[in-house]
Amino acid sequence: MNFWPMVLAIVVGAGLTIQVGMNGTLGTATGSSLWAAVVNFLVGLAGLVAVALASGSRIAPGSVASVPTWAWFGGLLGAAYVASVTFLGPRLGAVALLALVLLGQMATALVVDHFGMVGFPQNAVTPSRLLGVVLLAVGAMLVVRR
């Protein structure tokens, strides 16, 4: 297995933790988690547009029509995530929040992989994968416990 994609995934995960703190601070300072999430997306959009333009990347002709309808709504899930963690971060703390978010991601990923849903290849649930998610659940419970 290639090592660098795993390192990048860890770095992105670390960035998400930092982002939650930044957005939580913005939400607390402004008094609105929702507006903090809006600012997050506006700044992110500006950054993505700048990178896309600088890279010379273009949308392939005719590709937009081939996108399944459900795939257009991924941004809503991203917005729900950012708005939710902006609100929850200051209330739960970084470790509890991310443990619970990770548990939700892993449990859902197990189902998505098993059935090959939303564009992912099919990868059956195995006892070791199931055990990994169960251990994450136990870890999340230990982290949340005060």
Side-chain angles (χ1 to χ4, degrees):
M1 183 175 271
N2 193 343
F3 175 74
W4 291 110
M6 291 186 281
V7 170
L8 181 58
I10 291 168
V11 170
V12 168
L16 285 176
T17 302
I18 302 302
Q19 177 196 31
V20 169
M22 295 167 113
N23 289 348
T25 299
L26 183 60
T28 300
T30 62
S32 173
S33 297
L34 287 175
W35 281 108
V38 169
V39 169
N40 172 278
F41 274 89
L42 289 174
V43 171
L45 176 63
L48 283 172
V49 168
V51 170
L53 290 172
S55 73
S57 178
R58 301 287 180 258
I59 296 173
S63 64
V64 172
S66 68
V67 176
T69 304
W70 56 265
W72 290 101
F73 296 97
L76 292 177
L77 293 177
Y81 168 79
V82 169
S84 297
V85 299
T86 299
F87 174 79
L88 294 169
R91 288 158 180 80
L92 295 175
V95 173
L97 172 68
L98 275 294
L100 294 168
V101 167
L102 181 59
L103 176 58
Q105 288 176 311
M106 292 297 290
T108 303
L110 201 63
V111 173
V112 165
D113 266 3
H114 183 75
F115 294 104
M117 299 164 64
V118 294
F120 285 101
Q122 192 169 6
N123 289 301
V125 172
T126 62
S128 63
R129 293 176 116 202
L130 185 58
L131 177 61
V133 173
V134 169
L135 290 173
L136 275 169
V138 170
M141 287 188 291
L142 290 173
V143 165
V144 172
R145 186 178 168 160
R146 297 196 185 249

PDB file of all heavy atoms in Angstrom, residues 7-21:
ATOM      1  N   VAL A   7      -0.349   9.301   4.838  1.00  0.00           N
ATOM      2  CA  VAL A   7       0.204  10.469   5.539  1.00  0.00           C
ATOM      3  C   VAL A   7      -0.659  11.694   5.260  1.00  0.00           C
ATOM      4  O   VAL A   7      -0.989  12.459   6.179  1.00  0.00           O
ATOM      5  CB  VAL A   7       1.671  10.717   5.118  1.00  0.00           C
ATOM      6  CG1 VAL A   7       2.176  12.054   5.652  1.00  0.00           C
ATOM      7  CG2 VAL A   7       2.559   9.579   5.580  1.00  0.00           C
ATOM      8  N   LEU A   8      -1.040  11.884   4.000  1.00  0.00           N
ATOM      9  CA  LEU A   8      -1.891  13.023   3.652  1.00  0.00           C
ATOM     10  C   LEU A   8      -3.223  12.952   4.390  1.00  0.00           C
ATOM     11  O   LEU A   8      -3.724  13.975   4.881  1.00  0.00           O
ATOM     12  CB  LEU A   8      -2.116  13.090   2.134  1.00  0.00           C
ATOM     13  CG  LEU A   8      -2.982  14.247   1.644  1.00  0.00           C
ATOM     14  CD1 LEU A   8      -2.401  15.594   2.056  1.00  0.00           C
ATOM     15  CD2 LEU A   8      -3.141  14.184   0.134  1.00  0.00           C
ATOM     16  N   ALA A   9      -3.810  11.761   4.502  1.00  0.00           N
ATOM     17  CA  ALA A   9      -5.074  11.606   5.225  1.00  0.00           C
ATOM     18  C   ALA A   9      -4.916  12.006   6.692  1.00  0.00           C
ATOM     19  O   ALA A   9      -5.791  12.659   7.266  1.00  0.00           O
ATOM     20  CB  ALA A   9      -5.577  10.170   5.109  1.00  0.00           C
ATOM     21  N   ILE A  10      -3.801  11.653   7.298  1.00  0.00           N
ATOM     22  CA  ILE A  10      -3.547  12.027   8.696  1.00  0.00           C
ATOM     23  C   ILE A  10      -3.392  13.539   8.815  1.00  0.00           C
ATOM     24  O   ILE A  10      -3.937  14.165   9.728  1.00  0.00           O
ATOM     25  CB  ILE A  10      -2.302  11.287   9.235  1.00  0.00           C
ATOM     26  CG1 ILE A  10      -2.618   9.789   9.365  1.00  0.00           C
ATOM     27  CG2 ILE A  10      -1.851  11.873  10.575  1.00  0.00           C
ATOM     28  CD1 ILE A  10      -1.408   8.918   9.613  1.00  0.00           C
ATOM     29  N   VAL A  11      -2.678  14.146   7.881  1.00  0.00           N
ATOM     30  CA  VAL A  11      -2.482  15.597   7.898  1.00  0.00           C
ATOM     31  C   VAL A  11      -3.823  16.312   7.714  1.00  0.00           C
ATOM     32  O   VAL A  11      -4.117  17.296   8.411  1.00  0.00           O
ATOM     33  CB  VAL A  11      -1.458  16.028   6.819  1.00  0.00           C
ATOM     34  CG1 VAL A  11      -1.431  17.539   6.646  1.00  0.00           C
ATOM     35  CG2 VAL A  11      -0.071  15.499   7.184  1.00  0.00           C
ATOM     36  N   VAL A  12      -4.654  15.821   6.807  1.00  0.00           N
ATOM     37  CA  VAL A  12      -5.980  16.419   6.596  1.00  0.00           C
ATOM     38  C   VAL A  12      -6.825  16.280   7.861  1.00  0.00           C
ATOM     39  O   VAL A  12      -7.522  17.225   8.257  1.00  0.00           O
ATOM     40  CB  VAL A  12      -6.681  15.784   5.375  1.00  0.00           C
ATOM     41  CG1 VAL A  12      -8.145  16.165   5.312  1.00  0.00           C
ATOM     42  CG2 VAL A  12      -5.974  16.192   4.089  1.00  0.00           C
ATOM     43  N   GLY A  13      -6.750  15.130   8.505  1.00  0.00           N
ATOM     44  CA  GLY A  13      -7.474  14.941   9.769  1.00  0.00           C
ATOM     45  C   GLY A  13      -7.018  15.919  10.833  1.00  0.00           C
ATOM     46  O   GLY A  13      -7.834  16.482  11.567  1.00  0.00           O
ATOM     47  N   ALA A  14      -5.711  16.149  10.904  1.00  0.00           N
ATOM     48  CA  ALA A  14      -5.183  17.129  11.855  1.00  0.00           C
ATOM     49  C   ALA A  14      -5.712  18.521  11.514  1.00  0.00           C
ATOM     50  O   ALA A  14      -6.092  19.291  12.410  1.00  0.00           O
ATOM     51  CB  ALA A  14      -3.656  17.115  11.834  1.00  0.00           C
ATOM     52  N   GLY A  15      -5.751  18.819  10.236  1.00  0.00           N
ATOM     53  CA  GLY A  15      -6.280  20.112   9.802  1.00  0.00           C
ATOM     54  C   GLY A  15      -7.739  20.300  10.190  1.00  0.00           C
ATOM     55  O   GLY A  15      -8.147  21.403  10.557  1.00  0.00           O
ATOM     56  N   LEU A  16      -8.525  19.230  10.111  1.00  0.00           N
ATOM     57  CA  LEU A  16      -9.935  19.329  10.510  1.00  0.00           C
ATOM     58  C   LEU A  16     -10.072  19.691  11.982  1.00  0.00           C
ATOM     59  O   LEU A  16     -10.953  20.455  12.365  1.00  0.00           O
ATOM     60  CB  LEU A  16     -10.675  18.018  10.212  1.00  0.00           C
ATOM     61  CG  LEU A  16     -11.014  17.764   8.753  1.00  0.00           C
ATOM     62  CD1 LEU A  16     -11.652  16.383   8.587  1.00  0.00           C
ATOM     63  CD2 LEU A  16     -11.932  18.838   8.204  1.00  0.00           C
ATOM     64  N   THR A  17      -9.206  19.120  12.809  1.00  0.00           N
ATOM     65  CA  THR A  17      -9.247  19.449  14.231  1.00  0.00           C
ATOM     66  C   THR A  17      -8.950  20.927  14.443  1.00  0.00           C
ATOM     67  O   THR A  17      -9.650  21.608  15.202  1.00  0.00           O
ATOM     68  CB  THR A  17      -8.230  18.591  15.005  1.00  0.00           C
ATOM     69  OG1 THR A  17      -8.542  17.213  14.795  1.00  0.00           O
ATOM     70  CG2 THR A  17      -8.263  18.902  16.494  1.00  0.00           C
ATOM     71  N   ILE A  18      -7.934  21.435  13.760  1.00  0.00           N
ATOM     72  CA  ILE A  18      -7.582  22.848  13.873  1.00  0.00           C
ATOM     73  C   ILE A  18      -8.720  23.720  13.339  1.00  0.00           C
ATOM     74  O   ILE A  18      -9.077  24.743  13.934  1.00  0.00           O
ATOM     75  CB  ILE A  18      -6.268  23.141  13.108  1.00  0.00           C
ATOM     76  CG1 ILE A  18      -5.120  22.279  13.632  1.00  0.00           C
ATOM     77  CG2 ILE A  18      -5.922  24.627  13.149  1.00  0.00           C
ATOM     78  CD1 ILE A  18      -4.819  22.435  15.095  1.00  0.00           C
ATOM     79  N   GLN A  19      -9.339  23.289  12.225  1.00  0.00           N
ATOM     80  CA  GLN A  19     -10.441  24.041  11.636  1.00  0.00           C
ATOM     81  C   GLN A  19     -11.600  24.166  12.613  1.00  0.00           C
ATOM     82  O   GLN A  19     -12.217  25.232  12.717  1.00  0.00           O
ATOM     83  CB  GLN A  19     -10.920  23.364  10.348  1.00  0.00           C
ATOM     84  CG  GLN A  19     -12.109  24.061   9.718  1.00  0.00           C
ATOM     85  CD  GLN A  19     -12.825  23.217   8.683  1.00  0.00           C
ATOM     86  OE1 GLN A  19     -12.860  21.990   8.782  1.00  0.00           O
ATOM     87  NE2 GLN A  19     -13.391  23.863   7.694  1.00  0.00           N
ATOM     88  N   VAL A  20     -11.913  23.097  13.330  1.00  0.00           N
ATOM     89  CA  VAL A  20     -13.010  23.144  14.295  1.00  0.00           C
ATOM     90  C   VAL A  20     -12.729  24.208  15.352  1.00  0.00           C
ATOM     91  O   VAL A  20     -13.614  24.992  15.711  1.00  0.00           O
ATOM     92  CB  VAL A  20     -13.227  21.754  14.948  1.00  0.00           C
ATOM     93  CG1 VAL A  20     -14.175  21.851  16.130  1.00  0.00           C
ATOM     94  CG2 VAL A  20     -13.764  20.766  13.928  1.00  0.00           C
ATOM     95  N   GLY A  21     -11.505  24.267  15.826  1.00  0.00           N
ATOM     96  CA  GLY A  21     -11.154  25.277  16.819  1.00  0.00           C
ATOM     97  C   GLY A  21     -11.248  26.692  16.259  1.00  0.00           C
ATOM     98  O   GLY A  21     -11.747  27.610  16.928  1.00  0.00           O
TER      99      GLY A  21
END
